[in-house]
């Protein structure tokens, strides 16, 4: 398995990260990555979510 390396600013990596962010937003029904991460944590068992102030109404 390849590991994404954020310090590698290659166009390929940027494209993969944009695809990942888009997929996360679509799958959680959100419009930005921060909200998508919060929403995803709420849906995953065992994440111990305690803070949801970033979710929009």
């Amino acid at each position: 398995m390849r590991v994404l390396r954020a310090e590698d600013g290659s166009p390929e990596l940027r494209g993969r990260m944009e695809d990942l962010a888009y997929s996360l937003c679509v799958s959680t029904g959100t419009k930005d990555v921060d909200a998508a991460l919060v929403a995803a944590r709420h849906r995953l068992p065992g994440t111990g979510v305690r803070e949801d102030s970033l979710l929009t109404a």
Side-chain angles (χ1 to χ4, degrees):
M1 179 172 100
R2 290 181 59 191
V3 176
L4 291 176
R5 298 184 189 266
E7 67 273 7
D8 170 15
S10 71
E12 177 189 3
L13 175 64
R14 282 193 298 267
R16 291 176 68 195
M17 294 301 287
E18 288 173 9
D19 289 346
L20 178 62
Y22 175 80
S23 296
L24 182 60
C25 289
V26 168
S27 66
T28 57
T30 58
K31 294 188 181 216
D32 68 63
V33 174
D34 290 328
L37 290 171
V38 172
R41 285 186 192 113
H42 277 271
R43 294 178 185 182
L44 294 173
T47 58
V49 174
R50 294 181 187 89
E51 173 63 43
D52 65 356
S53 63
L54 293 177
L55 291 178
T56 59

